[in-house]
Amino acid sequence: DSSKITSRSSILTFATALATIGVHFYLTQQHIITKYTMGESSPLCNINSFFNCGTSIVSSFSEFLGTPLSIFGIVTQLLILFFFTKVFLSDSTE
């Protein structure tokens, strides 16, 4: 007995992955603006003194090997979309 991917779950998976990619692109943009141009991140990203992108971006934990962590998030979400699409479009029921 094999389970099939429902239309609702497919739409939810694609929408979530695309939304997450959008958020990661936004965070990458804010990282570049704050870290490399000495600009200030936008008000959307700065909710209060605790939830503040500018504070997070200057943290030593915001990068891995000089690459913003949001880039790794984009790559991960693209892989999820790739594999989900591959499974969704396959003819196999396994």
Side-chain angles (χ1 to χ4, degrees), residues 4 10 16 23 28 35 38 45 47 49 64 68:
K4 293 191 176 194
S10 301
T16 304
V23 169
T28 302
K35 185 119 183 184
M38 298 304 175
C45 200
I47 298 170
S49 62
F64 179 71

Side-chain angles (χ1 to χ4, degrees), residues 9-64:
S9 66
S10 301
I11 291 169
L12 184 62
T13 301
F14 279 113
T16 304
L18 291 177
T20 306
I21 290 170
V23 169
H24 287 310
F25 271 117
Y26 174 76
L27 292 174
T28 302
Q29 175 193 22
Q30 293 305 309
H31 183 88
I32 292 168
I33 289 170
T34 303
K35 185 119 183 184
Y36 299 112
T37 65
M38 298 304 175
E40 189 145 332
S41 49
S42 72
L44 177 65
C45 200
N46 297 331
I47 298 170
N48 59 30
S49 62
F50 185 73
F51 293 106
N52 187 326
C53 288
T55 304
S56 301
I57 289 168
V58 296
S59 167
S60 61
F61 299 108
S62 67
E63 294 181 342
F64 179 71

